[in-house]
Amino acid sequence: MSLFTPAPEHRFTFGLWTVGNTGRDPFGDAVRPAITAVHTVRHLAKLGAYGVNLHDNDLIPRDASAAERDGIVREFKAALDETGMKVPMATTNLFGDPVFRDGAFTSNDARVRAFALQKTMRAMDLGVELGATTYVFWGGREGVETNAAKDPQESLKWFRDALNFLCEYNIAQGYGYQFALEPKPNEPRGDIFLPTIGHMLAFVYTLDHPDMVGLNPEVAHDQMAGLDFSHGVAQALEAGKLFHIDLNGQKPGRFDQDLRFGSEDVKGAFFLVKLLEDSKWDGMRHFDSHCYRTEDEAGVWEFAKGSMRTYLILKDKVARFNADPEIKALLAELASRGAAPGQRLKYTAESAQELRDRTFDLPAMREKGYDYERLDQLTVEVLLGVR
Ligand code: GLT
Ligand code: MN
Ligand code: MN
């Protein structure tokens, strides 16, 4: 088996809504028939995925009766059992129904806010039935087009109330979910509340149960905001708050393209994989993306295969980067400048006194460059396959 053949141990997951994307966009109709959940599970299993994730309405139509719901769940679970596929993450569609046109947890209509809680509790019940342990909150419609509409402070309080309520529900039901909040700067709303990883992270610590809540950052969402995604992910990781991740591709300054992982900004994708692999992060490598609208179903499976394959190729590049003697020597030299590797400055009365008295060789410190041109060229050469 090739180094780049996906297998369940790689923990690749896809949303039902990703491979199920029919190509509908604001300017055109669907171009592909919807792929059923059962067919998705079977086909992704063949391709080596670990599991699928879903919104309540990816599986259960909005107006299904209780009996229809149970039938659909039974059939879906049978496909999971037959293939060994898992459902590690579940979420709620709080954006498709016109009732959510002004948001869900932050709608100006208190009835909508209450309905959003009801819908989420029911979707949490469904997720648990399918074995999900992570619950994602993407507040796609939690925002405004005009600031005349909402008091942003009040909106944050509504958002917080909703999450506090649902954390209590999680505890009361003994569900054991970890909640993962997904920031996005805009689209479908003109501006969405809690637009970046940093905003979201700060918000988490204002909740009643901050330990239960972390993040689900998405490549495209940070790139839309012009940010370096791996820096945001590193901050979440370092805080112990990377609960889930949405991998995809995006050109900066565009609408939310949700392109195949690694199809744009290969270097950014490389440093993201490096971060996840070097830190031995054991979460799901989830793809929140879809294939080009030009494609038919064959293209959908090419897209799915390509997403996993690119991740594994980049993982191999990370190993090459880490083992490259020239790169290692450059990094070792940087790490040894003026301190033992990993040594940190920590305040004590003695260390402060020593620092006050220390003489620095400033001319030498000013003179020496950092060799980043060479380091980056070597990185590019690793990526281009000549090292
Ligand atoms: C939607 C959105 C994504 C979110 C999904 C979870 S749904 O496709 O574009 O970024 O992660 O609600
Ligand atoms: Mn996403
Ligand atoms: Mn997206």
Side-chain angles (χ1 to χ4, degrees):
M1 197 181 278
S2 138
L3 196 56
F4 309 134
T5 306
E9 79 209 42
H10 299 123
R11 296 159 93 77
F12 291 127
T13 59
F14 291 83
L16 286 184
W17 69 93
T18 64
V19 280
N21 181 289
T22 57
R24 195 156 53 87
D25 73 12
F27 305 96
D29 299 338
V31 294
R32 295 181 286 271
I35 304 177
T36 67
V38 167
H39 181 49
T40 299
V41 166
R42 292 204 180 116
H43 208 107
L44 285 177
K46 259 189 245 153
L47 296 181
Y50 176 86
V52 291
N53 302 316
L54 49 89
H55 298 88
D56 47 357
N57 301 133
D58 296 341
L59 189 63
I60 321 274
R62 217 189 277 160
D63 39 20
S65 69
E68 282 163 351
R69 175 204 185 273
D70 293 347
I72 294 169
V73 171
R74 211 176 309 120
E75 196 196 2
F76 183 63
K77 275 172 129 175
L80 296 173
D81 288 346
E82 162 202 319
T83 55
M85 290 275 278
K86 303 279 185 276
V87 177
M89 178 273 259
T91 183
T92 331
N93 185 321
L94 294 174
F95 43 87
D97 189 323
V99 78
F100 297 125
R101 65 212 279 167
D102 188 36
F105 302 144
T106 65
S107 168
N108 262 321
D109 187 333
R111 294 166 304 176
V112 174
R113 300 200 297 274
F115 174 62
L117 286 179
Q118 181 197 73
K119 192 171 194 291
T120 305
M121 287 190 285
R122 290 182 180 170
M124 285 169 67
D125 304 343
L126 171 67
V128 161
E129 228 182 304
L130 300 172
T133 52
T134 300
Y135 203 87
V136 162
F137 291 84
W138 173 62
R141 297 229 183 252
E142 314 292 5
V144 292
E145 284 68 44
T146 167
N147 281 336
K150 283 181 195 174
D151 173 347
Q153 292 200 62
E154 191 61 17
S155 303
L156 287 180
K157 292 185 202 316
W158 284 335
F159 213 140
R160 180 180 304 114
D161 287 349
L163 289 169
N164 285 340
F165 187 104
L166 294 165
C167 283
E168 295 300 343
Y169 183 67
N170 189 28
I171 295 167
Q173 298 291 114
Y175 282 168
Y177 277 121
Q178 47 175 17
F179 287 0
L181 312 184
E182 179 175 346
K184 187 175 183 183
N186 57 274
E187 205 195 316
R189 296 310 295 265
D191 286 284
I192 299 177
F193 299 129
L194 302 165
T196 69
I197 294 173
H199 288 83
M200 205 55 112
L201 211 44
F203 178 68
V204 164
Y205 295 104
T206 71
L207 299 172
D208 288 348
H209 298 283
D211 292 349
M212 203 180 286
V213 187
L215 263 67
N216 176 38
E218 173 172 320
V219 176
H221 299 177
D222 263 39
Q223 289 203 338
M224 286 168 72
L227 301 173
D228 186 293
F229 185 59
S230 61
H231 291 185
V233 173
Q235 192 177 349
L237 252 177
E238 208 264 338
K241 288 296 187 192
L242 187 68
F243 286 7
H244 200 260
I245 196 162
D246 281 1
L247 302 173
N248 56 17
Q250 172 78 23
K251 285 195 183 186
R254 305 281 169 99
F255 64 96
D256 184 20
Q257 295 175 297
D258 289 337
L259 297 168
R260 191 178 74 256
F261 179 63
S263 62
E264 296 292 334
D265 187 17
V266 174
K267 203 168 162 188
F270 167 77
F271 281 111
L272 175 63
V273 172
K274 184 168 188 309
L275 176 69
L276 298 177
E277 295 300 322
D278 285 352
S279 56
K280 305 204 180 331
W281 184 69
D282 66 356
M284 296 296 145
R285 274 60 174 168
H286 169 71
F287 298 105
D288 184 10
S289 42
H290 51 74
C291 90
Y292 302 143
R293 189 169 184 271
T294 48
E295 305 307 290
D296 54 23
E297 189 182 322
V300 173
W301 304 120
E302 283 306 313
F303 145 84
K305 266 195 278 182
S307 305
M308 297 187 280
R309 187 172 160 80
T310 298
Y311 188 99
L312 294 175
I313 294 170
L314 289 172
K315 187 173 160 181
D316 176 62
K317 298 290 182 199
V318 169
R320 283 171 194 271
F321 178 100
N322 288 341
D324 189 294
E326 268 185 71
I327 293 176
K328 269 165 83 171
L330 284 172
L331 294 176
E333 192 278 325
L334 288 168
S336 69
R337 289 190 182 197
Q343 188 186 334
R344 294 213 169 78
L345 274 183
K346 195 168 160 39
Y347 184 90
T348 60
E350 296 71 39
S351 70
Q353 192 55 47
E354 186 278 324
L355 205 46
R356 287 178 65 105
D357 297 340
R358 202 192 293 179
T359 314
F360 289 94
D361 184 0
L362 290 176
M365 287 156 67
R366 289 182 185 121
E367 199 185 318
K368 195 163 167 48
Y370 284 76
D371 246 348
Y372 292 163
E373 281 292 352
R374 233 179 99 214
L375 183 57
D376 186 71
Q377 180 63 27
L378 291 169
T379 308
V380 170
E381 291 190 12
V382 167
L383 283 175
L384 294 181
V386 297
R387 291 186 78 81

